[in-house]
Amino acid sequence: MKKNKKLKRLVLGFLGIAVFLGIWQLAGTLGWVSTKILASPTDVVATFIDKLTNPKPDGSTLPQHIWASLKLALIGFGAACVIGIPLGLTMGFFKGMDHFFNPLFEIIRPIPPLAWIPVILLILGIGTTAKAFIIFVAAFVPCLLNSYVGIKRTRTTLINVAKTSGATDMQIFFKVGLPSALPMVFTGVKVSLGTSWATLVAAEMLSSSVGLGYMIQRGRTIVRSDIIIVGMLTIGVIGAILVFLLSLLEKKIAPWRNKK
Amino acid sequence: MPEDKVIVNNLTKKFGDLLVLDDVSFTIGKGEFVCLVGPTGCGKTTFLNLLVKLIEPTAGEILIDGEPADPKRHSLSFVFQEPSAFPWLTVEDNIKFNLRIKKFPKNVIEERTEQMLKLVGLTQQRKLYPHQLSVSAEQRIVIARSFAMFPDLLLMDEPYGQMDIKLRYYLEDEVLRIWRETGSTVIFITHNIEEAVYLSQRCLVMSSKPTTVKTIRTIDLPYPRNVADPAFISIRQEITDMIKWW
């Protein structure tokens, strides 16, 4: 019964993608859209295979682009986690931290990550640091916010259990607050990962010579929609894989989250 | 009469102008099982929160073994009204929680955990998480966790309020059994008079707000008690008449 359901889900999922690809292909062959503007799926697959080893016409092979982008996104994302999670957790738990940082954070929060670009360019120039910083800014907010809310939502009763058994504030933070916040921290990390991956294209507009964002930009300049689409789909697939890996990690670290 | 474990002197609590607890004094002997009964909303929970220092009294003091009550120094346990097993800990790690906070030696923690698992009948389920068990099993985890410290004082705040009769009967017997085996001192809050008469050696009858101790009724019926026993019924009736608010 359960196996049957799984199979059905898998078939439907594939069917969804197949129908989408079919319409896309038809759009080209029936001439609804010029294949010059929108490359057909078969062209895209051919370009994808070609780009695995061929650096032309944009200067690097696809694996080189992927590696460059991945490095950038992971530096920005990693920094956002390392700073955002502890800050969010301590702000959510210790009143003094909250009162000190909250007003500052509330002002910074609504500034869109892209609005940082000019000032970052002025301060950090146009190197890797600047690009990683833009991704950091984008990924930082969901990381901090979810950790903050997560630990704030710790049930008072559970804190009282620890208090009555004589726990210190630090013990309560690590043994009650932290594990209680963990599921929301993970949600934050997942959103952050998505955001950092999405900000990539914008960050790589700042004078890159390699990277998936650069490849897409380049494809537009030389009017090669197949290259643009290969770049877009690569971003999509890698993003999905990263989120999947995070979910696996979450199941390992927070197994109690999966209810019956 | 055993030596005094808990001494409550002139305990008073005000929230702003609202007087919740008015000059309450009593003592509880070592190893005694005491029930607090009173009408709903009479400040019983406030009283327990005061005892474990979750809130500070306006006046008066609480002494445990002659010293002011302090969760860091004394070993206190609290079974709250709402479910309070840690969802991220397995059954056995839940039971170990208080022992680890109090930094008991490893071998003692293991030994106590085994003992408590056996007492509440969860040895088979030791590696499961609370959400994989029933509500009553979760409450048994909490009871095991609370008794595992062999606490100086165990406070139970209507722990069976949400349960059906069958489960309540079962868990009441279980608590009595663990209480006898561990020799803990227990304060049990309930608004169920039958439960109070079934469990306790003494029953503190509280009045409506501001809460005072109306009477202390000693219940000297032998355990296990029979709810159909005429002596039992007459005590139940007597206490019911005392707190009639309808």
Side-chain angles (χ1 to χ4, degrees), chain A:
Chain A
M1 188 66 192
K2 211 175 168 189
K3 214 172 166 186
N4 230 332
K5 255 189 188 159
K6 231 177 171 175
L7 190 75
K8 206 169 161 188
R9 199 176 135 182
L10 218 64
V11 169
L12 277 177
F14 270 111
L15 213 63
I17 294 175
V19 168
F20 174 75
L21 290 177
I23 294 174
W24 178 7
Q25 182 75 34
L26 277 179
T29 41
L30 295 181
W32 298 342
V33 191
S34 156
T35 45
K36 263 215 154 27
I37 299 170
L38 182 72
S40 68
T42 42
D43 291 343
V44 170
V45 171
T47 306
F48 171 76
I49 293 167
D50 178 52
K51 280 302 295 171
L52 284 177
T53 50
N54 185 1
K56 279 177 192 164
D58 44 81
S60 307
T61 61
L62 188 59
Q64 284 170 328
H65 285 306
I66 293 176
W67 176 235
S69 293
L70 207 56
K71 222 166 40 182
L72 204 58
L74 291 185
I75 291 172
F77 165 72
C81 290
V82 169
I83 300 173
I85 296 172
L87 192 60
L89 290 174
T90 43
M91 274 172 67
F93 193 80
F94 299 103
K95 282 226 163 65
M97 288 285 288
D98 196 10
H99 296 162
F100 184 84
F101 281 108
N102 208 343
L104 182 68
F105 177 67
E106 285 302 328
I107 293 170
I108 291 176
R109 186 159 76 118
I111 304 174
L114 301 187
W116 285 81
I117 291 180
V119 72
I120 288 170
L121 283 181
L122 284 177
I123 298 169
L124 296 172
I126 48 176
T128 312
T129 324
K131 285 179 275 184
F133 191 81
I134 292 165
I135 294 172
F136 164 77
V137 170
F140 175 70
V141 172
C143 248
L144 185 143
L145 211 58
N146 281 283
S147 309
Y148 176 80
V149 175
I151 202 161
K152 265 210 177 304
R153 283 189 3 191
T154 308
R155 277 174 47 211
T156 319
T157 311
L158 297 183
I159 293 177
N160 283 345
V161 169
K163 256 190 204 163
T164 47
S165 66
T168 60
D169 278 355
M170 274 299 162
Q171 280 177 317
I172 296 175
F173 176 76
F174 282 109
K175 295 196 168 212
V176 183
L178 187 63
S180 160
L182 213 49
M184 279 219 45
V185 170
F186 261 104
T187 306
V189 168
K190 273 191 226 166
V191 175
S192 277
L193 188 65
T195 325
S196 52
W197 206 228
T199 322
L200 192 70
V201 180
E204 283 180 347
M205 284 207 276
L206 305 174
S207 90
S208 291
S209 56
V210 64
L212 291 168
Y214 168 76
M215 185 174 131
I216 292 172
Q217 291 298 321
R218 193 75 197 129
R220 189 185 64 107
T221 318
I222 57 174
V223 202
R224 283 280 301 274
S225 62
D226 53 336
I227 288 186
I228 298 177
I229 294 167
V230 167
M232 286 168 64
L233 289 181
T234 309
I235 289 179
V237 170
I238 291 179
I241 292 173
L242 289 177
V243 169
F244 173 72
L245 289 178
L246 266 182
S247 305
L248 285 187
L249 185 71
E250 182 183 6
K251 263 185 206 156
K252 195 125 197 109
I253 296 183
W256 68 89
R257 201 187 177 182
N258 307 300
K259 298 256 152 157
K260 286 174 216 195

Side-chain angles (χ1 to χ4, degrees), chain B residues 1 5 12 14 24 28 42 72 94-95 118 131 136-137 141-142 148 153-154 172 177 200 234-236:
Chain B
M1 187 77 193
K5 184 76 186 175
T12 302
K14 279 185 197 167
V24 173
I28 293 174
C42 79
K72 294 205 167 65
N94 254 295
I95 295 174
K118 218 177 281 164
H131 72 79
S136 71
I141 299 173
V142 174
L153 182 60
L154 172 64
E172 281 166 1
R177 193 159 50 89
S200 65
S234 101
I235 295 174
R236 196 192 70 196

Side-chain angles (χ1 to χ4, degrees), chain B residues 25-195:
Chain B
S25 300
F26 61 88
T27 59
I28 293 174
K30 189 171 168 24
E32 205 177 1
F33 198 125
V34 172
C35 270
L36 248 66
V37 292
T40 312
C42 79
K44 296 186 295 264
T45 301
T46 304
F47 177 68
L48 276 202
N49 287 341
L50 282 167
L51 274 183
V52 291
K53 293 282 170 175
L54 282 176
I55 49 177
E56 289 294 321
T58 309
E61 58 174 1
I62 302 152
L63 303 175
I64 297 177
D65 292 327
E67 293 172 30
D70 176 3
K72 294 205 167 65
R73 189 147 26 131
H74 296 112
S75 103
L76 307 175
S77 274
F78 205 135
V79 178
F80 293 89
Q81 224 165 340
E82 54 271 38
S84 63
F86 295 103
W88 55 86
L89 296 179
T90 58
V91 171
E92 60 177 334
D93 285 334
N94 254 295
I95 295 174
K96 287 174 185 168
F97 185 87
N98 291 0
L99 297 168
R100 283 180 173 153
I101 293 281
K102 284 279 188 217
K103 301 208 165 71
F104 276 70
K106 241 194 169 111
N107 57 330
V108 176
I109 294 181
E110 292 306 324
E111 194 183 304
R112 295 268 181 92
T113 306
E114 290 309 318
Q115 187 187 351
M116 295 320 297
L117 279 170
K118 218 177 281 164
L119 267 176
V120 294
L122 286 172
T123 311
Q124 301 284 321
Q125 290 89 342
R126 60 193 301 158
K127 298 281 181 207
L128 295 182
Y129 289 96
H131 72 79
Q132 295 169 302
L133 301 166
S134 63
V135 180
S136 71
E138 180 171 355
Q139 201 62 333
R140 269 148 67 203
I141 299 173
V142 174
I143 291 167
R145 180 178 69 199
S146 308
F147 273 105
M149 288 218 289
F150 294 176
D152 290 328
L153 182 60
L154 172 64
L155 303 125
M156 305 181 84
D157 186 6
E158 299 191 25
Y160 309 142
Q162 320 288 336
M163 294 181 190
D164 65 48
I165 283 200
K166 213 175 81 201
L167 264 176
R168 231 183 52 217
Y169 282 165
Y170 172 73
L171 288 173
E172 281 166 1
D173 284 334
E174 194 155 79
V175 154
L176 282 176
R177 193 159 50 89
I178 303 172
W179 163 64
R180 267 197 301 264
E181 288 199 24
T182 56
S184 296
T185 309
V186 180
I187 300 182
F188 190 107
I189 284 191
T190 177
H191 59 243
N192 183 328
I193 295 155
E194 185 182 276
E195 186 171 60

